Amino acid sequence: NAGVMQNPRHLVRRRGQEARLRCSPMKGHSHVYWYRQLPEEGLKFMVYLQKENIIDESGMPKERFSAEFPKEGPSILRIQQVVRGDSAAYFCASSPPHSRTEAFFGQGTRLTVV
Amino acid sequence: SQQGEEDPQALSIQEGENATMNCSYKTSINNLQWYRQNSGRGLVHLILIRSNEREKHSGRLRVTLDTSKKSSSLLITASRAADTASYFCATDGTGGSQGNLIFGKGTKLSVKP
């Protein structure tokens, strides 16, 4: 049973480009969370999704950021027109339907905007 | 403001010593969790303690929770160089939305061989 898989592990984008980060939850998990971690900081919640539904996006910037978790395939965090301040590690976590408390994290995607 | 605040921010000890890290939080919680993060890596779940529990053990880890003081501590006994990492506490918050965790800034632990 593979853990939470994120790809790519490292992503470099020029200012103004789009970044797409993928997350495949653990098998049987129907809840996906995205977090952002700035250097020397803790993780900050961005968005919580279930299949085909955004449950809570209170931590997501209103512009340029979007997330989806389609019926088939991985969850995608999309950042349009990236700026230097978007450089961070983005972590995905998943949890089973019966225990939203227990979140398992992926290895993260490190986005660098140059 | 941060829900979870760990202290100290950094801790340096010798191998074999015990390491104690503290976490304070502000709102009511259902549970509190501790995670470890090695440099440049993802988070590893260490232990979860529920709001009705006061102490929990897992191997060399001991976690306490004092809901009256809204604080928790993580004790690592007989530390090893491999314990070098950042340690984060995370709370759910009973008033929070359905499952997202609130992290502190972490304690950076360095265990010298």
XYZ file of all heavy atoms in Angstrom, chain B residues 60-113:
390
model
N 10.245 5.360 22.480
C 11.011 6.353 23.260
C 10.289 7.696 23.370
O 10.842 8.656 23.912
C 12.387 6.558 22.612
C 13.310 5.338 22.686
C 14.697 5.620 22.115
N 14.655 5.953 20.694
C 14.953 7.142 20.193
N 15.303 8.141 20.975
N 14.899 7.346 18.883
N 9.076 7.751 22.870
C 8.318 9.002 22.898
C 7.294 8.982 24.023
O 6.637 7.972 24.255
C 7.580 9.217 21.571
C 8.391 9.173 20.288
C 7.480 9.411 19.097
C 9.503 10.193 20.314
N 7.198 10.133 24.686
C 6.156 10.300 25.701
C 5.508 11.658 25.461
O 6.198 12.681 25.413
C 6.744 10.222 27.098
C 5.745 10.535 28.209
C 6.387 10.368 29.574
N 5.559 11.007 30.595
C 5.915 12.099 31.284
N 7.068 12.675 31.069
N 5.097 12.600 32.197
N 4.199 11.650 25.317
C 3.462 12.895 25.082
C 2.512 13.116 26.234
O 1.857 12.184 26.698
C 2.678 12.817 23.750
C 1.687 13.963 23.644
C 3.636 12.842 22.579
N 2.460 14.346 26.703
C 1.477 14.715 27.713
C 0.575 15.812 27.149
O 0.964 16.551 26.242
C 2.154 15.238 28.997
O 2.904 16.415 28.682
C 3.078 14.190 29.592
N -0.613 15.888 27.693
C -1.567 16.911 27.276
C -2.251 17.478 28.511
O -2.772 16.716 29.337
C -2.609 16.317 26.324
C -3.695 17.260 25.824
C -3.099 18.382 24.976
C -4.750 16.499 25.030
N -2.232 18.790 28.627
C -2.922 19.476 29.718
C -3.917 20.442 29.079
O -3.551 21.535 28.657
C -1.907 20.217 30.598
C -2.544 20.828 31.832
O -3.764 21.092 31.817
O -1.824 21.066 32.812
N -5.166 20.023 29.012
C -6.160 20.861 28.334
C -6.506 22.110 29.143
O -6.933 23.106 28.570
C -7.443 20.064 28.039
O -7.884 19.434 29.245
C -7.187 18.993 26.990
N -6.297 22.061 30.447
C -6.587 23.253 31.255
C -5.575 24.360 30.958
O -5.905 25.547 30.988
C -6.566 22.915 32.743
O -5.262 22.557 33.156
N -4.352 23.956 30.626
C -3.310 24.939 30.288
C -3.151 25.078 28.777
O -2.342 25.870 28.302
C -1.968 24.522 30.900
C -1.940 24.560 32.415
C -0.582 24.157 32.946
C -0.577 24.203 34.469
N 0.705 23.734 35.039
N -3.906 24.284 28.045
C -3.802 24.284 26.579
C -2.341 24.100 26.157
O -1.767 24.916 25.418
C -4.377 25.570 25.990
C -5.898 25.684 26.110
C -6.433 26.885 25.353
C -7.944 26.835 25.198
N -8.664 26.825 26.478
N -1.762 23.027 26.665
C -0.366 22.766 26.329
C -0.100 21.268 26.254
O -0.820 20.454 26.846
C 0.562 23.411 27.367
O 0.427 22.758 28.601
N 0.948 20.943 25.506
C 1.373 19.558 25.356
C 2.900 19.531 25.374
O 3.554 20.525 25.043
C 0.863 18.999 24.035
O 1.396 17.714 23.766
N 3.448 18.395 25.753
C 4.900 18.247 25.684
C 5.231 16.924 25.013
O 4.481 15.946 25.121
C 5.534 18.295 27.075
O 5.166 17.164 27.814
N 6.336 16.929 24.305
C 6.874 15.723 23.669
C 8.246 15.465 24.273
O 9.122 16.335 24.226
C 7.003 15.909 22.156
C 7.769 14.811 21.394
C 7.004 13.492 21.425
C 8.026 15.231 19.954
N 8.403 14.296 24.855
C 9.682 13.900 25.436
C 10.254 12.761 24.605
O 9.569 11.763 24.357
C 9.496 13.445 26.891
C 10.681 12.738 27.550
C 11.845 13.698 27.753
C 10.272 12.128 28.896
N 11.483 12.934 24.166
C 12.209 11.860 23.488
C 13.309 11.416 24.446
O 14.193 12.200 24.809
C 12.834 12.328 22.162
C 11.771 12.923 21.247
C 13.552 11.166 21.473
C 12.333 13.533 19.968
N 13.251 10.166 24.869
C 14.253 9.681 25.807
C 15.419 9.043 25.059
O 15.265 8.560 23.928
C 13.652 8.654 26.771
O 13.134 7.561 25.998
C 12.531 9.260 27.587
N 16.583 9.066 25.706
C 17.785 8.425 25.151
C 17.953 8.787 23.682
O 17.980 7.913 22.807
C 17.696 6.917 25.329
N 18.075 10.060 23.415
C 18.080 10.534 22.025
C 19.248 9.962 21.225
O 20.299 9.593 21.763
C 18.138 12.061 21.999
O 19.346 12.510 22.584
N 19.012 9.916 19.907
C 20.018 9.421 18.972
C 20.260 10.477 17.910
O 19.400 11.325 17.670
C 19.511 8.139 18.298
C 19.102 7.051 19.255
C 18.326 5.963 18.553
N 17.870 4.937 19.490
C 16.963 4.011 19.195
N 16.423 3.985 18.005
N 16.603 3.127 20.102
N 21.383 10.382 17.247
C 21.680 11.342 16.175
C 20.580 11.335 15.118
O 20.241 12.373 14.537
C 23.034 11.027 15.546
N 19.980 10.170 14.900
C 18.919 10.046 13.896
C 17.642 10.783 14.290
O 16.743 10.973 13.457
C 18.594 8.574 13.640
N 17.541 11.229 15.540
C 16.376 12.009 15.971
C 16.476 13.462 15.531
O 15.515 14.226 15.697
C 16.234 11.963 17.502
C 15.925 10.573 18.025
O 15.265 9.796 17.299
O 16.352 10.248 19.152
N 17.624 13.843 14.999
C 17.800 15.216 14.515
C 16.771 15.513 13.440
O 16.720 14.846 12.407
C 19.217 15.411 13.951
O 20.164 15.274 15.013
C 19.378 16.776 13.307
N 15.933 16.513 13.700
C 14.821 16.842 12.800
C 14.078 18.035 13.391
O 14.399 18.494 14.486
C 13.873 15.659 12.656
N 13.067 18.490 12.675
C 12.141 19.481 13.227
C 10.895 18.753 13.695
O 10.439 17.805 13.044
C 11.770 20.518 12.175
O 12.871 21.340 11.879
N 10.361 19.197 14.820
C 9.202 18.555 15.409
C 8.070 19.575 15.488
O 8.257 20.698 15.979
C 9.538 18.000 16.791
C 10.483 16.832 16.712
C 11.864 17.032 16.571
C 10.022 15.513 16.726
C 12.743 15.973 16.452
C 10.893 14.442 16.616
C 12.244 14.679 16.471
O 13.105 13.615 16.346
N 6.907 19.171 15.006
C 5.755 20.061 14.957
C 4.595 19.459 15.730
O 4.347 18.251 15.656
C 5.291 20.257 13.508
C 6.276 20.949 12.631
C 7.204 20.225 11.899
C 6.275 22.327 12.513
C 8.121 20.859 11.080
C 7.186 22.971 11.691
C 8.109 22.233 10.977
N 3.871 20.323 16.434
C 2.593 19.891 16.969
C 1.500 20.419 16.040
O 1.679 21.440 15.369
C 2.380 20.372 18.400
S 2.114 22.144 18.597
N 0.404 19.713 15.993
C -0.714 20.112 15.141
C -2.007 19.825 15.868
O -2.172 18.763 16.469
C -0.673 19.364 13.807
N -2.910 20.770 15.821
C -4.202 20.605 16.465
C -5.305 20.682 15.423
O -5.110 21.240 14.336
C -4.438 21.704 17.518
O -4.313 22.988 16.885
C -3.438 21.600 18.643
N -6.454 20.126 15.774
C -7.575 20.199 14.839
C -8.501 21.347 15.186
O -8.987 22.036 14.326
C -8.350 18.882 14.819
C -8.963 18.551 16.179
O -8.526 19.112 17.189
O -9.880 17.717 16.210
N -8.737 21.568 16.471
C -9.623 22.672 16.826
C -11.070 22.264 16.679
O -11.536 22.043 15.579
N -11.783 22.135 17.775
C -13.177 21.699 17.694
C -14.028 22.707 16.941
O -15.041 22.384 16.375
C -13.798 21.517 19.095
O -13.637 22.730 19.830
C -13.133 20.386 19.842
N -13.584 23.952 16.943
C -14.366 24.957 16.220
C -13.946 25.095 14.776
O -14.516 25.850 14.021
N -12.934 24.353 14.403
C -12.387 24.501 13.061
C -13.146 23.694 12.036
O -14.011 22.895 12.360
N -12.801 23.900 10.814
C -13.482 23.169 9.755
C -12.923 21.766 9.660
O -11.789 21.512 9.970
C -13.330 23.894 8.438
O -11.979 24.018 8.093
N -13.633 20.954 9.201
C -13.675 19.512 9.229
C -12.397 18.749 8.924
O -12.367 17.993 8.002
C -14.721 19.095 8.221
C -15.979 19.907 8.342
C -16.914 19.610 7.200
O -17.180 18.474 6.902
N -17.375 20.636 6.556
N -11.384 18.917 9.696
C -10.260 18.010 9.534
C -8.947 18.672 9.230
O -7.921 18.013 9.283
N -8.933 19.951 8.860
C -7.620 20.524 8.585
C -6.878 20.741 9.892
O -7.469 20.973 10.941
C -7.740 21.840 7.825
C -8.522 22.873 8.592
O -9.723 22.717 8.773
N -7.869 23.912 9.061
N -5.559 20.577 9.827
C -4.704 20.693 10.993
C -4.052 22.066 11.037
O -3.791 22.675 10.002
C -3.619 19.618 10.948
C -4.114 18.177 10.965
C -2.956 17.209 10.758
C -4.821 17.876 12.277
N -3.795 22.526 12.252
C -3.137 23.806 12.454
C -1.789 23.539 13.096
O -1.720 22.980 14.195
C -3.996 24.727 13.338
C -5.388 24.865 12.721
C -3.338 26.098 13.470
C -6.407 25.487 13.638
N -0.734 23.917 12.401
C 0.627 23.609 12.829
C 1.294 24.803 13.480
O 1.049 25.951 13.109
C 1.475 23.190 11.628
C 1.166 21.835 11.089
C 0.115 21.638 10.219
C 1.933 20.740 11.459
C -0.180 20.378 9.723
C 1.654 19.469 10.971
C 0.597 19.293 10.098
N 2.194 24.508 14.415
C 3.095 25.520 14.928
C 4.302 25.631 14.020
O 4.399 24.958 12.990
N 5.262 26.490 14.435
C 6.447 26.704 13.606
C 7.514 25.641 13.835
O 8.479 25.564 13.096
C 7.033 28.089 13.875
C 6.150 29.215 13.391
C 6.828 30.567 13.529
C 5.938 31.658 12.976
N 6.551 32.988 13.075
N 7.352 24.848 14.869
C 8.255 23.732 15.052
C 9.424 23.996 15.975
O 9.816 25.138 16.213
N 9.975 22.918 16.493
C 11.222 22.947 17.255
C 12.259 22.196 16.461
O 12.040 21.045 16.076
C 11.064 22.285 18.636
O 10.207 23.070 19.448
C 12.421 22.136 19.326
N 13.393 22.849 16.228
C 14.472 22.199 15.476
C 15.402 21.525 16.480
O 16.074 22.184 17.265
C 15.215 23.238 14.652
C 16.149 22.669 13.619
C 16.727 23.750 12.719
C 15.796 24.114 11.611
N 16.424 25.011 10.600
N 15.417 20.211 16.465
C 16.227 19.437 17.399
C 17.498 18.969 16.717
O 17.453 18.401 15.617
C 15.445 18.233 17.911
C 16.219 17.244 18.783
C 16.621 17.891 20.104
C 15.393 15.980 19.046
N 18.619 19.191 17.381
C 19.900 18.709 16.884
C 20.504 17.809 17.954
O 20.717 18.240 19.089
C 20.821 19.891 16.592
O 22.106 19.439 16.209
N 20.755 16.557 17.593
C 21.354 15.608 18.526
C 22.770 15.320 18.052
O 22.981 14.772 16.969
C 20.547 14.295 18.593
C 21.179 13.349 19.601
C 19.100 14.584 18.952
N 23.726 15.703 18.882
C 25.136 15.554 18.495
C 25.681 14.212 18.982
O 25.474 13.829 20.125
C 25.951 16.694 19.091
C 25.501 18.064 18.623
C 26.401 19.159 19.109
C 25.849 20.535 18.796
N 25.407 20.693 17.415
N 26.363 13.494 18.083
C 26.893 12.175 18.472
C 28.055 12.298 19.448
O 28.626 13.368 19.615
C 27.348 11.585 17.129
C 27.520 12.736 16.216
C 26.631 13.831 16.674
